Amino acid sequence: MTTQTISTVNGVNVEQLVGTVNAIKENPDLARFKFRASNEWLSGGHSRTTIDGFYGAGDEDSSRTEPFILEGDEPPVLLGQNNGPNAVEAVLHGLASCLAVGFVYNAAAQGIKVDDLEFELEGDIDLHGFLGLSGDVRPGFRKINLTYRLKSDAPRETVEE
Amino acid sequence: MTTQTISTVNGVNVEQLVGTVNAIKENPDLARFKFRASNEWLSGGHSRTTIDGFYGAGDEDSSRTEPFILEGDEPPVLLGQNNGPNAVEAVLHGLASCLAVGFVYNAAAQGIKVDDLEFELEGDIDLHGFLGLSGDVRPGFRKINLTYRLKSDAPRETVEE
C-alpha cells in the first residue's frame, strides 16, 4: 500500500509546482505559451473582450468550459457609460493579480504560509498624451504607487526577500 | 426658441469630446487622473480586484454606483483553478479596450463613422522568465500579434491614417 501526500501550501500544489519547473528544465519548449483575447467594440467607449483557450505546455489547453467575458468602458467624464473599468484600470488589475500569483507561488515554493495578502495600486496618468495634446507626455501611466499588506507567520526578512 | 443638436458619432458625444479637449487646453491640471485598484488574494493563483472611484478632471469621481469586481486566476496547467483569466490575459484585455477606445474616439473626432471594429490579440510568453529559470528571458510578453477588422464607410486611406 502506498500513501500519497499532496503537499499544498497557500492553495498551491507544491509537488506540481516543482514538477512543472523540472519538466521545463528537461524540455524548455514546454515553457512556451500563447495567450489570446478577442475584443468587439460595442458603442462609444464600450467594448467586450472574450478570453478562452490558449497554447501552453506543448498543447492547446482545453480546461476552460466557457470563456471569460470582460467589459471595458470609460466613465462619463471620459465620454463613456461605466459599463466596465477602463483600459488602464484593467492594466492595474493585471498587475495586481500578477503580483499576487508571483508572491504566493514563490512563497509556496519556499514553504512560507501566507494568511492574507492585499495590494492597493494607484496609477497617475496625464491625458495630454492620450488626447494627442502633447508629444512629451506618455499616454500611459507616469507612475504607479503600490501598497501591500501581508499576514504571515514567516519572519519579516524572509518575506521581504 | 433654441434648438440643440447633440452630435453623436460612434456613440461618442463629439461636442463633449471637443469641450473636454478645450477645457484641458485652458486648464492642463484637468488632464491629471489617478486610477486605483485593490486586490485581495484568495487562494493559490486566485485573487479578486475591486475597482471603484478615481480622481480626475479636478475632483473625485462619484459616477459609479457600485464597484467593478474582476477575478484573476491561473488555469490548472499553471496550478490554478480557472476562476478568471490570468494576469497576462487581463493585460491583453486592457490593451484591446485601449485600442478600441482610442480608435473610436479619434474616428468620432474626425467624423468617421465606425460600423464594426474587432481586435484579436495573441501574446507569446516564455515561462523561463516568470519562473526565474533564466535571467535572459523577460517575464512578460515577448511579442503580441494584433489583427483588427473594421467596417466603415470611410476610405481605406483615411482609416489607416
Side-chain angles (χ1 to χ4, degrees):
Chain A
M1 187 182 144
T2 310
T3 307
Q4 194 181 0
T5 310
I6 295 177
S7 159
T8 298
V9 180
N10 305 329
V12 180
N13 182 326
V14 177
E15 285 175 32
Q16 192 194 344
L17 179 57
V18 172
T20 300
V21 168
N22 287 337
I24 288 174
K25 282 180 182 166
E26 279 178 33
N27 181 359
D29 279 350
L30 292 178
R32 293 177 57 200
F33 279 67
K34 286 175 188 285
F35 291 102
R36 307 178 188 118
S38 305
N39 179 275
E40 178 191 14
W41 168 71
L42 299 169
S43 179
H46 187 198
S47 69
R48 181 173 291 146
T49 299
T50 303
I51 292 170
D52 199 349
F54 61 89
Y55 174 88
D59 207 352
E60 280 293 315
D61 185 84
S62 58
S63 65
R64 292 169 174 170
T65 51
E66 52 187 59
F68 301 116
I69 308 291
L70 284 83
E71 306 281 338
D73 196 2
E74 299 289 346
V77 70
L78 295 173
L79 317 176
Q81 298 187 314
N82 271 337
N83 288 293
N86 74 7
V88 292
E89 292 174 316
V91 168
L92 289 183
H93 159 62
L95 177 55
S97 62
C98 171
L99 290 167
V101 170
F103 193 96
V104 166
Y105 281 22
N106 269 297
Q110 295 173 54
I112 299 173
K113 188 170 174 300
V114 175
D115 294 314
D116 293 305
L117 179 61
E118 289 176 25
F119 297 95
E120 303 275 346
L121 290 91
E122 183 175 78
D124 287 21
I125 205 162
D126 184 328
L127 290 189
H128 281 86
F130 178 76
L131 294 171
L133 296 175
S134 165
D136 299 332
V137 178
R138 72 186 302 263
F141 284 123
R142 287 142 43 109
K143 189 179 70 174
I144 296 176
N145 281 322
L146 167 70
T147 310
Y148 72 91
R149 277 183 292 275
L150 170 77
K151 191 174 162 202
S152 170
D153 288 339
R156 187 173 192 92
E157 53 268 34
T158 311
V159 170
E160 285 175 349
E161 196 184 330
Chain B
M1 187 182 144
T2 311
T3 308
Q4 195 182 358
T5 311
I6 295 177
S7 160
T8 299
V9 179
N10 305 330
V12 180
N13 182 327
V14 178
E15 284 174 29
Q16 192 194 344
L17 179 57
V18 173
T20 300
V21 170
N22 287 337
I24 287 174
K25 282 181 181 165
E26 281 178 31
N27 182 358
D29 279 350
L30 292 178
R32 293 177 56 199
F33 279 66
K34 285 175 189 284
F35 291 102
R36 306 179 189 117
S38 304
N39 179 276
E40 178 192 13
W41 168 70
L42 298 170
S43 179
H46 187 197
S47 69
R48 182 174 290 147
T49 299
T50 303
I51 293 171
D52 199 349
F54 61 89
Y55 173 88
D59 207 353
E60 279 292 315
D61 185 84
S62 58
S63 65
R64 292 169 176 170
T65 52
E66 53 187 58
F68 301 116
I69 307 291
L70 285 83
E71 306 282 337
D73 196 1
E74 298 290 346
V77 70
L78 295 173
L79 316 177
Q81 298 187 315
N82 271 336
N83 288 293
N86 75 5
V88 292
E89 291 174 315
V91 168
L92 290 183
H93 160 63
L95 177 55
S97 63
C98 172
L99 290 168
V101 170
F103 193 96
V104 165
Y105 281 21
N106 269 297
Q110 295 173 54
I112 299 172
K113 190 170 173 302
V114 175
D115 294 314
D116 292 305
L117 179 62
E118 289 176 24
F119 296 95
E120 303 276 346
L121 291 90
E122 184 176 79
D124 286 22
I125 205 161
D126 184 328
L127 291 189
H128 282 86
F130 178 76
L131 294 171
L133 295 176
S134 165
D136 299 332
V137 178
R138 72 186 301 263
F141 285 122
R142 287 141 44 108
K143 187 179 72 172
I144 296 177
N145 281 322
L146 168 70
T147 310
Y148 72 91
R149 277 183 293 275
L150 170 77
K151 191 175 162 203
S152 169
D153 289 338
R156 189 173 188 92
E157 54 269 31
T158 311
V159 169
E160 284 175 351
E161 196 184 329

